[in-house]
């Protein structure tokens, strides 16, 4: 966090208001061809080797001399960025070599050429494929440090809050050498603490926290257009409604998952809206849906978690709701209520999609397995799940702001990402975000062994084999990570 008495930076980094459409200009296709034909990759490989060689030449510098050179280079790079002109390439690479030398001294990690290649790919606005264990965290830190030294405000998007806190502390000695302030965004922090966090040069956070703050800022009046002056004044006050500093540069870890798999899901900010009639209707729908039979009255789309009623189902619904008053007389309303009730019963499992904590439904993030207190499903689904779980129902929510993660990430002025699994999504990343893909080979031959799948006749037999294999690996001195689909299975594994 900030040092005591540090003045919060007042620079505002306006997000994109008009989202770019990749492929409309010839320059987009020319850039894509340069990467597709391997020309860009060859240039990056050549530059990475030169950076590593130059970094070795800096070993004679004392720590104060290294820090002084970093400061001088930062001033030059920042001046070029503020003027809107690209920095001289030779000077840019020279600065990166100083950062690499700093990583070797402060972190005990002297970057290999492949890690420098990954950092250069990120700085070029690419999606970098780098296998697990190749030093992706260090490569991201090198790129983030270069953004900071160039005067840019950089968000490092991590898969979860734990990784955000771990990575920033792991890389802090390097950032301190570069005189860059870095912090991880605590999801439990209040607005004033968030203002303090975003005042840092580098911010580690999850995409959910960043998008939520972005939407709240827009509700509070943050703007990149005519409201920019008002935004700056709010930032100057320091305790105003705006907590972020805009959207400048972002480096996304696990880019395939964050930018593609989960990107179309919207994040919604809502407020409670008292509606006793609707709450009672949800309870009635919970009871009525038990009379509906899958295949006969409805069909389920597992992929989109949607329910489609059959002709027989429509007739049956009309018959069982004929005597009900109020909103049940609306055909669309009753089908929506019963559809949500069926989804809550058939598609949302307790201890997998949610848990009951303090007599409340708490959503479980399916990608991380972590709980998300305070979050709720939209369009009445949360109330349907609460009714099915038998807990006290919360008020239906009214949407006051929403945005998909895809739209959010496209608003950054400079976007890049890294992942170990970009196979099959390269073209989609380019068309959606304008990110060409760069594959960084492993430094050493791959020694990973993947055994053939094993099949079991029963769950008990599979679980016994899992325990036996885990114990054998542990006795051999290997660390073992066991993933489960349901939270309840974790307790069984402990037994």
């Amino acid at each position: 966090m900030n040092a005591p008495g540090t003045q919060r930076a007042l620079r505002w980094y306006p997000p994109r208001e008009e989202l770019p459409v990749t492929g409309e200009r010839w320059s987009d296709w020319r850039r894509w061809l340069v990467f597709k034909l391997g020309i860009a990759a060859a240039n990056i490989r050549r530059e990475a080797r030169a950076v590593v060689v130059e970094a070795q030449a800096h070993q004679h510098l004392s720590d104060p001399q290294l820090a002084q050179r970093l400061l001088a280079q930062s001033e030059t790079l920042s001046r070029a960025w503020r003027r809107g002109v690209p920095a001289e390439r030779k000077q840019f690479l020279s600065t990166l070599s100083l950062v690499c030398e700093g990583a070797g001294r402060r972190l005990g990690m002297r970057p290999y050429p492949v890690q420098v290649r990954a950092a250069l790919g990120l700085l070029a606005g690419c999606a970098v494929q780098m296998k697990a264990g190749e030093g992706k965290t260090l490569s991201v830190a090198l790129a983030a440090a270069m953004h900071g030294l160039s005067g840019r405000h950089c968000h490092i998007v991590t898969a979860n809050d734990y990784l955000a806190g771990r990575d920033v502390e792991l890389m802090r000695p390097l950032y301190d050498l570069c005189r860059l302030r870095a912090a991880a965004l605590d999801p439990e922090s209040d607005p004033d603490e968030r203002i303090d966090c975003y005042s840092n040069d580098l911010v580690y956070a999850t995409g959910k926290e960043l998008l939520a703050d972005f939407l709240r800022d827009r509700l509070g009046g943050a703007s990149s257009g005519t409201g920019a002056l008002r935004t700056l004044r709010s930032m100057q006050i320091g305790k105003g409604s705006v907590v972020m500093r805009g959207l400048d540069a972002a480096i996304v870890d696990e880019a395939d998952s964050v930018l593609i798999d989960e990107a179309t899901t919207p994040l919604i900010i809502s407020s409670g809206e008292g509606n006793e009639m609707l709450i009672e209707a949800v309870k009635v729908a919970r009871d009525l849906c038990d009379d509906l039979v899958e295949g006969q009255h409805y069909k389920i789309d597992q992929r989109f978690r949607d329910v489609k009623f059959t002709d027989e189902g429509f007739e049956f619904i009309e018959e069982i709701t004929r005597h009900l008053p109020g909103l049940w007389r609306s055909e669309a309303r009753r089908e929506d209520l019963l559809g949500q009730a069926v989804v809550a019963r058939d598609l949302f499992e307790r201890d997998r999609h949610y848990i009951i904590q303090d007599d409340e439904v708490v959503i479980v993030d399916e990608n991380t397995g972590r709980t998300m207190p305070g979050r709720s499903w939209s369009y009445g689904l949360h109330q349907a799940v609460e009714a099915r779980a038998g807990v006290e129902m919360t008020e239906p929510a009214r949407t006051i702001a929403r945005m998909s993660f895809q739209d959010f990430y496209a608003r950054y002025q400079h976007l890049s990402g890294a992942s170990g699994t970009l196979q099959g999504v390269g073209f989609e990343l380019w068309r959606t975000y304008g990110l060409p893909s760069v594959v960084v080979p492993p430094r050493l031959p791959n020694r990973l062994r993947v055994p053939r799948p094993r099949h079991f006749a029963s769950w008990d037999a599979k679980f016994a084999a899992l325990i036996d294999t885990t114990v054998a690996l542990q006795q051999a001195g290997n660390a073992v990570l066991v993933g489960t689909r349901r939270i309840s299975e974790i307790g069984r594994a402990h037994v």
Side-chain angles (χ1 to χ4, degrees):
M1 303 300 285
N2 292 346
T6 300
Q7 177 66 33
R8 180 173 184 254
L10 298 181
R11 179 175 293 278
W12 170 250
Y13 301 88
R16 297 178 186 267
E17 287 299 315
E18 294 185 6
L19 303 184
V21 180
T22 307
E24 285 189 338
R25 299 167 299 181
W26 163 243
S27 59
D28 295 335
W29 292 100
R30 183 174 57 191
R31 173 174 161 83
W32 181 75
L33 282 172
V34 167
F35 280 91
K36 186 68 176 178
L37 296 175
I39 300 173
N43 290 336
I44 290 174
R45 183 167 58 249
R46 173 179 50 80
E47 290 181 340
R49 288 198 297 264
V51 167
V52 171
V53 171
E54 187 173 353
Q56 294 173 349
H58 296 317
Q59 293 182 9
H60 72 281
L61 297 175
S62 65
D63 286 354
Q65 289 175 326
L66 180 63
Q68 190 61 37
R69 287 201 183 185
L70 280 168
L71 179 61
Q73 295 282 48
S74 176
E75 291 174 351
T76 304
L77 295 179
S78 298
R79 191 180 307 114
W81 182 79
R82 286 195 300 269
R83 292 175 177 174
V85 296
E88 184 182 348
R89 191 62 181 174
K90 183 178 180 181
Q91 187 173 44
F92 186 86
L93 296 176
S94 179
T95 306
L96 179 56
S97 70
L98 291 169
V99 175
C100 290
E101 174 60 20
R105 296 187 187 190
R106 293 298 179 92
L107 304 176
M109 305 177 188
R110 192 163 296 279
Y112 294 107
V114 291
Q115 294 167 331
V116 178
R117 285 170 62 178
L120 287 170
L122 295 171
L123 292 166
C126 301
V128 177
Q129 179 174 312
M130 196 176 189
K131 290 188 177 297
E134 292 297 321
K136 185 172 55 176
T137 301
L138 177 58
S139 297
V140 168
L142 295 176
M146 287 299 296
H147 279 313
L149 290 170
S150 300
R152 311 197 71 156
H153 181 56
C154 182
H155 295 161
I156 299 90
V157 184
T158 59
N160 55 60
D161 300 310
Y162 164 76
L163 290 177
R166 184 203 70 177
D167 290 355
V168 73
E169 293 304 325
L170 187 64
M171 298 296 146
R172 188 177 298 284
L174 172 62
Y175 297 144
D176 288 344
L177 175 66
C178 298
R179 299 189 183 182
L180 296 173
R181 296 173 300 139
L185 183 61
D186 184 352
E188 303 299 325
S189 58
D190 59 35
D192 289 343
E193 291 171 332
R194 287 173 181 263
I195 289 174
D196 187 48
C197 180
Y198 283 116
S199 71
N200 288 273
D201 304 296
L202 312 174
V203 178
Y204 282 74
T206 63
K208 293 186 177 77
E209 294 298 327
L210 292 169
L211 178 50
D213 284 336
F214 179 73
L215 289 177
R216 283 191 287 261
D217 279 357
R218 297 190 80 176
L219 291 172
S223 172
S224 61
T226 59
L229 181 59
R230 183 175 63 252
T231 299
L232 286 170
R233 286 173 178 167
S234 178
M235 291 169 62
Q236 189 170 16
I237 293 171
K239 303 297 181 182
S241 57
V242 177
V243 301
M244 299 184 82
R245 296 169 58 188
L247 304 179
D248 186 23
I251 303 174
V252 181
D253 195 7
E254 303 300 338
D256 56 329
S257 174
V258 175
L259 296 179
I260 298 298
D261 298 341
E262 307 166 25
T264 57
T265 303
L267 188 141
I268 299 173
I269 294 179
S270 58
S271 62
E273 185 178 47
N275 193 329
E276 290 296 330
M277 182 182 295
L278 182 59
I279 289 177
E280 289 301 320
V282 171
K283 294 178 181 177
V284 172
R286 172 198 59 193
D287 299 332
L288 292 178
C289 84
D290 290 337
D291 296 328
L292 299 175
V293 179
E294 183 180 359
Q296 179 181 352
H297 298 125
Y298 66 89
K299 296 179 180 179
I300 291 181
D301 187 330
Q302 294 281 352
R303 180 181 178 186
F304 295 101
R305 288 180 177 170
D306 193 18
V307 171
K308 301 293 184 183
F309 291 107
T310 63
D311 292 339
E312 183 179 351
F314 285 126
E315 295 175 1
F316 184 70
I317 290 173
E318 184 178 1
E319 178 64 29
I320 63 176
T321 60
R322 190 184 302 277
H323 66 286
L324 297 176
L327 49 78
W328 288 98
R329 295 172 186 172
S330 167
E331 180 179 353
R333 198 66 164 166
R334 63 176 177 248
E335 290 169 6
D336 180 63
L337 285 166
L338 286 169
Q340 295 285 40
V342 170
V343 169
R345 181 191 65 183
D346 294 2
L347 298 181
F348 283 80
E349 301 178 34
R350 182 170 175 172
D351 292 332
R352 178 179 177 183
H353 300 103
Y354 67 93
I355 62 172
I356 303 300
Q357 192 174 75
D358 298 329
D359 202 32
E360 294 181 358
V361 169
V362 178
I363 299 176
V364 175
D365 189 324
E366 293 184 64
N367 297 292
T368 65
R370 290 174 170 80
T371 59
M372 299 189 293
R375 304 288 176 88
S376 62
W377 291 296
S378 57
Y379 306 115
L381 177 59
H382 199 82
Q383 286 69 36
V385 172
E386 289 174 328
R388 175 57 55 180
V391 301
E392 183 178 353
M393 294 176 60
T394 57
E395 293 182 346
R398 176 176 62 89
T399 299
I400 57 177
R402 63 176 290 159
M403 180 180 288
S404 72
F405 287 93
Q406 179 174 305
D407 285 348
F408 172 65
Y409 290 120
R411 294 178 187 274
Y412 278 92
Q413 298 291 347
H414 187 284
L415 180 67
S416 60
S419 177
T421 53
L422 293 180
Q423 301 92 331
V425 299
F427 190 72
E428 190 173 357
L429 283 169
W430 180 77
R431 287 306 304 267
T432 306
Y433 303 101
L435 299 182
S437 298
V438 173
V439 178
V440 177
R443 184 177 65 90
L444 298 173
N446 194 347
R447 298 171 60 187
L448 176 67
R449 293 179 300 166
V450 181
R452 292 187 301 175
R454 299 172 62 187
H455 303 277
F456 300 88
S458 66
W459 162 255
D460 290 337
K462 183 181 75 170
F463 195 79
L466 171 66
I467 298 300
D468 291 341
T469 303
T470 301
V471 171
L473 289 170
Q474 285 184 323
Q475 290 176 345
N478 297 312
V480 182
L481 174 65
V482 180
T484 64
R485 294 294 298 171
R486 294 174 178 82
I487 295 175
S488 58
E489 295 172 2
I490 298 175
R492 184 175 181 182
H494 281 300
V495 175

